[in-house]
Amino acid sequence: MTNENSPPKSASGDAPEPPETQPRSGGKRVYARLDSDVTGEQLGELIEDMLAAIDISPYPQDLLQDATMSELPGRLADLLDGLLEEREHFLVVSVEPPGYYVQFLPQADGGLYAEAVSNEFLDEAARLTPEARACLEQFGWLLTGPNYSQAWGSPVPVAEVAHLAVQTLTEVYALGSPSRLFLLFGKRTATKDV
C-alpha cells in the first residue's frame, strides 16, 4: 500500500534512503512501503516501530502495566500531575485490545479536558452497548462531539479525575488488568484550548 506521502521509488522499484534531515519532533524520520499482502500482525509491528521512532513520550509506554488495580488510580494521578505541570503534552491511556481509551489535554488556564472513546472510533465488535453508554453518562461523560468529554477548572481534582478514568476503564471498557494498558504521550501542537 502506497500513498502520496510515500517516499519516491528508484528505478529498481525500491524506496530510496530517506534524506538526512530531521523532522520537527527531533525524532527519526520513518518511511514504510506496505505491500497489499501485509498481515495485521506485520502492520501492528510496523506501527509500534514507527511510534518508538517518534520518541515524544516523557514516560515509557508500559508505565502502568506493572501496577496492581489498587495502585492504578495513584499512578495515573501522578502522571496527570506531571501533565498539568508542564502543559506541553497530551496523554492517551488505551486498553489494548480492542482500543478503548481515555485521553487528557491540559488547558492553558490550568484546567484539564478529557475524552472517553465513543462508538465513532470503535470497530463493530468493540462497540459500546446501550448499558455501557448509559454508564458513561452516569459517570458524568457527555457526548458533545465525536467522543464523550468532561472538563475541570483549576485547580484540577487530580485524584478524583484519576479515579474516574480508572472507573471508566474498568466498568465501561472492561479493563481487567493493567497489563493491557498502554500510554501515548504526544506533544501539543495546537495553541488553542478545547
Side-chain angles (χ1 to χ4, degrees):
M1 172 179 173
T2 59
N3 62 39
E4 60 192 43
N5 295 327
S6 299
K9 294 183 172 62
S10 67
S12 67
D14 294 329
E17 289 297 313
E20 292 301 315
T21 60
Q22 289 294 314
R24 281 182 275 168
S25 69
K28 300 174 189 170
R29 189 174 299 277
V30 177
Y31 289 105
R33 193 183 90 210
L34 301 178
D35 298 320
S36 60
D37 61 347
V38 68
T39 66
E41 184 176 337
Q42 291 169 324
L43 181 59
E45 289 173 2
L46 175 63
I47 290 170
E48 285 180 24
D49 290 346
M50 291 173 74
L51 286 174
I54 293 170
D55 192 28
I56 57 174
S57 175
Y59 303 101
Q61 186 178 11
D62 60 355
L63 186 66
L64 299 176
Q65 290 183 350
D66 68 343
T68 65
M69 289 302 284
S70 62
E71 293 172 331
L72 197 52
R75 290 231 191 142
L76 183 55
D78 290 344
L79 289 174
L80 292 175
D81 270 334
L83 194 71
L84 286 164
E85 185 176 313
E86 54 93 8
R87 294 188 197 153
E88 293 181 13
H89 291 85
F90 61 87
L91 168 64
V92 181
V93 181
S94 66
V95 179
E96 300 294 338
Y100 298 125
Y101 62 83
V102 292
Q103 57 188 1
F104 305 92
L105 179 67
Q107 303 295 286
D109 66 359
L112 182 67
Y113 175 79
E115 291 185 339
V117 70
S118 73
N119 283 340
E120 180 82 17
F121 301 103
L122 295 173
D123 292 334
E124 190 67 34
R127 294 233 181 235
L128 301 171
T129 64
E131 294 80 13
R133 293 191 309 266
C135 192
L136 281 167
E137 291 173 5
Q138 181 182 12
F139 292 162
W141 296 101
L142 301 175
L143 190 57
T144 57
N147 277 328
Y148 292 87
S149 65
Q150 289 196 48
W152 296 268
S154 182
V156 176
V158 174
E160 178 183 314
V161 173
H163 176 76
L164 172 69
V166 171
Q167 187 177 29
T168 300
L169 291 167
T170 56
E171 295 182 33
V172 177
Y173 301 139
L175 172 68
S177 166
S179 66
R180 293 179 51 214
L181 286 179
F182 288 89
L183 303 178
L184 174 65
F185 283 84
K187 188 84 166 163
R188 275 187 75 145
T189 56
T191 55
K192 239 171 80 172
D193 285 338
V194 179

